[in-house]
Amino acid sequence: MAMLPAKEAESIILGLVQPFDQQIDAEIVELSAATGRILASPVTSQWDFPHWDNSAMDGYAVRSADVQSCNAEQPAELEIVEEIPAGIEPQSTIQPGQASRIFTGACMPQGADTVVMQERTRCEGSRVFILEAPKPQAFVRHRASFYQAGTPLLQPGITLNAAEIAVLAAAGCTHLPVYRRPRVAILSTGNELVTPDQPLQPGQIVDSNQYALAAFVTGAGGVPVPLGIVRDEPEALENAIAQAISSADMVLSTGGVSVGDYDYVDRILAELGAQIHIRSVAIKPGKPLTVATFPPASKGSQGGAKRPVLYFGLPGNPVSALVTCWRFVQPALWKLSGLSQEAWEPVFVQARSHHELRSDGRRETYLWGRLKIDRSGNYEFYLAGGSHSSGNLINLAQTTGLAVVSVGQTLIPAGEFVQVLQIGFPKVA
Ligand code: AMP
Ligand code: MG
């Protein structure tokens, strides 16, 4: 299997993802617990918005015919028949020569079609003088002008945040269907790995990937299922992968996929019934990347719809592991979780690079740094300081963008434009 260009790998991976099913993979949650979740069904309301014609101002509800030709010299004089605060149903119908005192949000009375703001009036006892002819219908919010009962209010595939929660609350929606969170099993392979609470013996390193990937999965809306460190032994690995595929919708393993280990991992995956789709991708960092699918378990994974479990064998190198996660796993996980395409598609923006960007030109190269927007709204890319060796995990902190140097390109001078993959949550573009 040849080393694939990144774009091709992306399209194979996304083609393998079968998004969550609106019925089978949904659960009902209370509105107060819905923040950050993804809506699984269209929501409609039985109410019009606004619910009734109402006033957009504090002032007087009038018949426009009564006040068409008035002005400050010749004000229209109307009899005030009622005061209508917000929340009170009007009792009287406005007859010619009459008006009602009305407040913002209050129901328009029958007979009135226009609101005159109080600043354009003078009140004397039970009479009001209109000092300026309003436009007919002025300051009336008409029933159903914002939303008509029964029509789609919110579409599935959107993330519920403050604005959507406000809409749902206003619509009287106390319980709603959201997609369940995808479960993502995480396992780290390597005899050199220890947990961070253990003292380091010579040659050992901390299994940072376990934590990095769990944080990544949580940030992307999934539920991490951390399965710990697995020794580089076929039997241990086989058991761990078998456990992973039976307990999750997606599996992320790190390490053990570099050239020397190919046959070994491939053989285990094959023995467990996997179909291998990708073995390596022409990117730097991150070349070794195994993508496989396991056929659906007979009862359906996790009680959800029957769909293959997607397996990513990521490079062990912590930088490569995260870069391949951002580049390939994130859109796949988002697509799986039921987000709309607009939301899961990777976002590349044209940014002006503040620094010189270098590559050997042989593989598509990802350079980490910060993506910012200047005061004029232009994207700018600041390369992380320090070594861009894929062994250097330290300067990966605070990364918000990955600058892409294409195959064949060896230098992008400072001040030139570069394509930058936006990472992090939430998306800006
Ligand atoms: P591998 O892909 O297993 O050959 O690992 C490549 C490099 O990444 C080696 O230097 C490993 O020590 C390091 N590495 C592998 N797994 C992890 C991990 N879980 N956390 C941190 N570093 C790792
Ligand atoms: Mg290893």
Side-chain angles (χ1 to χ4, degrees), residues 180-205:
R180 66 189 179 87
R181 296 181 193 273
R183 290 167 58 84
V184 183
I186 299 165
L187 49 97
S188 304
T189 72
N191 292 339
E192 75 280 29
L193 302 177
V194 293
T195 54
D197 54 350
Q198 284 176 279
L200 275 188
Q201 302 301 328
Q204 292 185 327
I205 58 162

Side-chain angles (χ1 to χ4, degrees), residues 11 19 38 48 51 56 86 196 204 217 242 293 313 323 325 349 370 372 401 410:
S11 97
I38 302 163
D48 288 327
H51 308 319
Q204 292 185 327
V217 167
T293 46
V323 167
C325 258
V349 299
R370 290 184 67 74
K372 295 186 178 180
T410 53

